[in-house]
Every structure is written in structure tokens, then in C-alpha cells.
Amino acid sequence: MSRKDVDLTGHWTGLYNYPDGPPVPFEAQLRESSGCVTGTTTETSDLVAGHGQTLHAVIDGRRKGGSIRFLKMYDEAEGGYDVVHYDGALHADGNEIEGQWQIAGIWSGTFLMIRATGTGRRLAETEEPLEILR
């Protein structure tokens, strides 16, 4: 399977890293159609002002071959920003995305997303939200 045959639709778990400090885990639900990538994310705030609160964001971006770029736009601004730019590379198996994130003029770091096994095909076939059992 080539990267152009992969559909990013599915449930993903990930980590993003600040220049200093521990990685921050997040969950993402992605949907891809004709190279357009949309979705949502959920994470727990690690900033002092909102520590422990659940943060929600919307993803809007594009994929071309093995490259993916998207914006993550938080529902509620925190820490003086509400948009994060992501630029990543899709691994050949289509189940990992790795790259850099940036908040213009403030911070940048790395990220890694891993697809939950089997969710891509099932979501694409059913077009219904998939309930992940834990």
C-alpha cells in the first residue's frame, strides 16, 4: 500500500512536546476526503491557568502524498493563543504521523500521532462515528 492509497480517517492518539517539560498526550478523531483533513482533538491542559481542564480543538488541513499540514484551533483560547500550525510526515504504513508544531512567535516542538488499529477502514466504510472500547 502506498501513502497515496491511505485514508487518514480514524481515531488517533498522540503526544506533543514543548521545548522543556513532559510530553502532552491527546486524542484525535480525523476524517479525510479528497486530501482535505478535518477532525477534533481532546487533551488535558498542562498550563498553570487551566491545569487539568479538558481542552477541545478543531483540525482543518490538507494531505498530499506523505505530507500533512493542518491547523489546530482551540474552542477557548488559552495561554494567549488559539491556533497551532502542524506540519508532518505520514509513515509508509499510514498509521503514524510525525512532525513539528508551531505557535507563531511563541513556541514550537515535535509531535507524534499513532492510529488506533483498524479504525480507519471501519470508519471509512460505515461513515458513522466509531466507539472505541477501552
Side-chain angles (χ1 to χ4, degrees):
M1 176 185 321
S2 75
R3 283 182 275 202
K4 73 177 187 175
D5 297 328
V6 172
D7 183 333
L8 299 181
T9 300
H11 182 83
W12 296 73
T13 58
L15 294 170
Y16 63 85
N17 299 290
Y18 287 105
D20 295 320
V24 177
F26 66 93
E27 301 285 324
Q29 198 66 40
L30 300 182
R31 183 166 306 273
E32 181 178 8
S33 179
S34 301
C36 292
V37 178
T38 58
T40 58
T41 65
T42 305
E43 64 194 72
T44 301
S45 175
D46 65 336
L47 296 178
V48 174
H51 189 73
Q53 293 180 348
T54 300
L55 302 177
H56 301 277
V58 175
I59 288 177
D60 186 26
R62 298 215 35 98
R63 180 175 72 96
K64 186 172 183 180
S67 297
I68 180 170
R69 289 183 148 179
F70 60 89
L71 298 177
K72 180 167 76 170
M73 299 163 281
Y74 286 96
D75 289 348
E76 295 183 27
E78 180 180 272
Y81 66 89
D82 58 359
V83 176
V84 183
H85 300 261
Y86 281 76
D87 190 1
L90 181 64
H91 287 220
D93 68 1
N95 291 317
E96 290 186 27
I97 301 169
E98 189 171 17
Q100 300 281 321
W101 62 267
Q102 179 181 24
I103 301 168
I106 300 176
W107 280 340
S108 65
T110 59
F111 77 95
L112 173 66
M113 296 171 65
I114 299 172
R115 186 196 313 253
T117 305
T119 63
R121 182 171 0 116
R122 289 173 60 193
L123 272 173
E125 288 172 358
T126 64
E127 294 299 320
E128 296 288 327
L130 178 66
E131 183 173 319
I132 303 298
L133 301 176
R134 293 178 192 232

